[in-house]
Amino acid sequence: MRTQLFINGQWADPVRKGTFPVVNPATETVIHHAPAGTAEDIDAAVKAARAAFDDGPWPRMKGAERAKYLRAMAKAIRSRQDELARLEVADNGKPLPEASWDIGDAAGCFDYYAGLAEALDQQPEEAIALPDDRFTSKAVREPLGVAGAIVPWNYPLLMASWKVAPALAAGCTMVLKPSELTPLTALELGAIAQQVELPPGVLNIVTGTGPDAGAPLSSHPSVDKLAFTGSVPTGSKIMAAAARDIKKVSLELGGKSPFIVFDDADVAQAVEWIMFGIFWNQGQVCSATSRVLVQDGLYDKLLERLVQEARRIKIGNGLDDGTLLGPLVSKGQFDKVLSAVSQAQEEGATVATGGRAAGGFAAGYFMEPTVLVDVPLDSAAWNEEIFGPVVCVRRFSDEGEAVRLANDSIFGLGAAVMSTDSERAERVAAALRAGIVWINCSQPTFTEAPWGGYKQSGIGRELGHWGLDNYLETKQITRYVSDAPWGWYIK
Ligand code: NAI
Ligand code: MG
């Protein structure tokens, strides 16, 4: 486990020599002391990224050249898949098969953007038809500059990769600030950058808290673009900081994603996808299926089956065989989720199952899979992101009501609809105000497809070619080709 920051291609102690504890949420033990970066370290990292962008080879290379580095990074991640997955489990708590999936996806993300970096060479410019034949014009895409990435703890290496891979593919340089709750795998990305001999300063990694390291990164005048994933209040602060210098921003924020189940759906399949939507990663997922709307005819049957299956989920240390639900990431998150459930009860909700700390553990932030019913529409539980294994289930009678309830949210990240009537499913998908709509499933995420939210769920899209656009500027180059003088002032 790394004890230093990765700045300008080298490992360095934080200027103030501070550390912060890294806690394993399954055991509550301190497993490491990570380097606590502060404004001085952020400044050094931004200067390195600035120099690498302004004077270094990276933005000037062919995309195909950069692709070689990205593919090498993918390969290096894959070659350490099990080790990195175990580090993720120790840091975040998630079950090992999930962590292993994440690491595989992170490697896949580097490979995918390597392909898009190569494709940049194939379409370097777009000719623009002008109504005036004295001019020709073309548009070219260029790397945007120095990007700052601030990422959360729910998918530590994967969320970092969603930003690092497209930024590097585009030719940007980057300063990455991982969450202080899960700094371990992001620091390993520094070792991987070193191993593949990424030019110094192209990728810099500074661990530290939000206020001490995140805030100075978001307000640093030499940063051109900020990419953030996390909570709405922090997203709002980052956008405010960006506003001062008109930095470009992309924000992937919270959600309260609805799942509409019509009464022609298969109960077992519906329950499976609801569970995958709310219990995977302990429900700490921005697009988690946190509001389930079930049509009258299926409601009782579905609720009964959901409660029955939720009670069967094996809770435990993510490293134990067969664990399907690990601990929540931190004491803070554990307390927050449990208090959200108590508050829901005070507001009139009924706990159909769960709602408590899971019994039988001497330590660890383990919580029972929780199903809430009778959740008032104006309650916090129905409207706010809980970010834990807690699903609200409610009945509806017709399609119009389902769509109205689903869209009645300040968020618009994910949404899902399940029905055997494919016309109805398409109609509902079109009516849902969300950036991601799943039909007959919920949560499967593909690097090729755009990811991001409507409304307060964010700004911009990650993944796919949309993800690359976050790190590109568009330049027009217009040429005067006429032999005749312009003749306005000088006749
Ligand atoms: P957060 O949004 O505060 O943290 C995300 C990242 O932002 C971390 O790297 C953090 O260090 C950084 N950060 C915090 N304050 C900052 C500031 N002032 N300037 C710049 N960077 C800053 O989320 P946190 O505290 O980890 O969790 C709080 C709640 O946010 C969770 O309970 C959950 O509801 C929500 N959340 C949502 C996520 C999502 O993907 N939608 C991911 C993580 C948390
Ligand atoms: Mg931890």
Side-chain angles (χ1 to χ4, degrees):
M1 288 184 266
R2 309 275 153 185
T3 55
Q4 292 181 302
L5 308 172
F6 187 68
I7 298 174
N8 206 23
Q10 289 173 344
W11 295 99
D13 285 332
V15 169
R16 298 189 179 214
K17 311 283 180 220
T19 64
F20 60 91
V22 179
V23 175
N24 180 328
T27 60
E28 299 182 41
T29 51
V30 174
I31 54 170
H32 186 56
H33 295 274
T38 58
E40 290 97 325
D41 307 298
I42 288 290
D43 186 53
V46 171
K47 284 194 170 116
R50 191 76 258 168
F53 187 81
D54 293 342
D55 308 314
W58 193 253
R60 291 158 195 90
M61 273 178 200
K62 284 278 180 207
E65 263 313 287
R66 290 195 296 270
K68 286 183 197 157
Y69 290 92
L70 292 172
R71 287 196 206 283
M73 288 177 84
K75 196 171 163 205
I77 293 170
R78 251 185 221 108
S79 75
R80 296 175 60 187
Q81 182 153 356
D82 188 57
E83 177 210 344
L84 291 171
R86 284 172 189 276
L87 219 45
E88 214 78 301
V89 176
D91 213 352
N92 165 285
K94 63 177 71 194
L96 183 59
E98 293 189 24
S100 187
W101 179 321
D102 294 355
I103 304 298
D105 268 5
C109 186
F110 278 90
D111 270 336
Y112 175 77
Y113 282 103
L116 291 200
E118 287 161 349
L120 278 175
D121 296 340
Q122 307 310 313
Q123 309 142 330
E125 53 190 53
E126 186 183 327
I128 299 163
L130 299 178
D132 185 334
D133 62 10
R134 293 172 298 168
F135 297 90
T136 61
S137 188
K138 64 185 178 183
V140 297
R141 317 266 0 241
E142 295 185 339
L144 194 151
V146 174
I150 298 176
V151 299
W153 42 262
N154 52 348
Y155 295 91
L157 188 67
L158 186 58
M159 288 301 105
S161 303
W162 281 21
K163 295 175 171 49
V164 174
L168 268 47
C172 288
T173 60
M174 182 166 255
V175 177
L176 169 66
K177 208 297 282 175
S179 167
E180 58 272 42
L181 294 175
T182 55
L184 301 179
T185 48
L187 284 172
E188 293 306 321
L189 209 50
I192 286 165
Q194 223 172 13
Q195 184 191 333
V196 307
E197 296 177 12
L198 200 68
V202 170
L203 175 63
N204 307 275
I205 302 159
V206 178
T207 48
T209 65
D212 290 345
L217 177 57
S218 60
S219 62
H220 199 295
S222 300
V223 171
D224 301 303
K225 190 236 153 51
L226 293 169
F228 173 73
T229 300
S231 64
V232 172
T234 302
S236 175
K237 282 185 200 163
I238 285 172
M239 200 170 162
R244 199 196 58 195
D245 303 320
I246 321 293
K247 293 184 195 345
K248 309 319 188 244
V249 281
S250 48
L251 305 171
E252 301 290 333
L253 308 175
K256 195 75 189 179
S257 300
F259 189 139
I260 301 172
V261 186
F262 285 98
D263 56 15
D264 57 2
D266 178 81
V267 174
Q269 286 304 311
V271 168
E272 168 70 19
W273 286 116
I274 292 165
M275 290 175 57
F276 191 67
I278 195 64
F279 300 137
W280 174 266
N281 209 21
Q282 295 66 246
Q284 301 165 135
V285 181
C286 48
S287 56
T289 301
S290 46
R291 293 185 296 147
V292 172
L293 298 159
V294 190
Q295 200 165 16
D296 283 328
L298 198 70
Y299 181 86
D300 292 330
K301 229 163 115 186
L302 184 144
L303 182 63
E304 189 190 335
R305 183 72 184 269
L306 177 61
V307 164
Q308 187 188 27
E309 297 293 342
R311 286 181 180 151
R312 278 219 277 262
I313 289 181
K314 188 170 172 228
I315 306 171
N317 188 310
L319 292 178
D320 294 344
D321 246 9
T323 292
L324 283 171
L325 193 82
L328 297 189
V329 71
S330 66
K331 173 83 166 69
Q333 193 62 22
F334 180 68
D335 291 343
K336 182 189 151 184
V337 176
L338 285 174
S339 83
V341 174
S342 325
Q343 195 192 337
Q345 288 173 284
E346 282 161 26
E347 289 178 304
T350 306
V351 174
T353 189
R356 293 166 307 192
F361 296 94
Y365 311 125
F366 297 100
M367 181 180 171
E368 294 174 343
T370 302
V371 178
L372 300 179
V373 294
D374 313 321
V375 185
L377 288 178
D378 59 356
S379 65
W382 185 259
N383 293 291
E384 292 171 17
E385 185 172 57
I386 294 178
F387 227 63
V390 180
V391 61
C392 302
V393 185
R394 180 182 190 91
R395 61 168 83 232
F396 71 89
S397 50
D398 61 42
E399 188 179 316
E401 184 191 4
V403 169
R404 252 191 329 276
L405 286 168
N407 284 340
D408 184 16
S409 172
I410 59 166
F411 297 112
L413 187 56
V417 51
M418 195 159 206
S419 172
T420 48
D421 176 345
S422 73
E423 268 178 43
R424 173 160 65 184
E426 283 295 336
R427 201 165 54 231
V428 170
L432 289 167
R433 300 285 299 160
I436 305 144
V437 177
W438 285 286
I439 296 178
N440 294 342
C441 64
S442 174
Q443 305 304 322
T445 300
F446 297 93
T447 313
E448 295 76 7
W451 181 273
Y454 285 20
K455 304 191 248 180
Q456 290 187 33
S457 291
I459 295 179
R461 293 292 177 272
E462 295 192 286
L463 300 183
H465 64 77
W466 301 268
L468 193 70
D469 289 345
N470 282 324
Y471 300 97
L472 292 170
E473 278 283 21
T474 302
K475 175 189 279 177
Q476 66 152 300
I477 300 178
T478 297
R479 179 191 287 254
Y480 187 60
V481 291
S482 166
D483 291 334
W486 187 238
W488 192 273
Y489 292 102
I490 301 172
K491 307 268 182 195

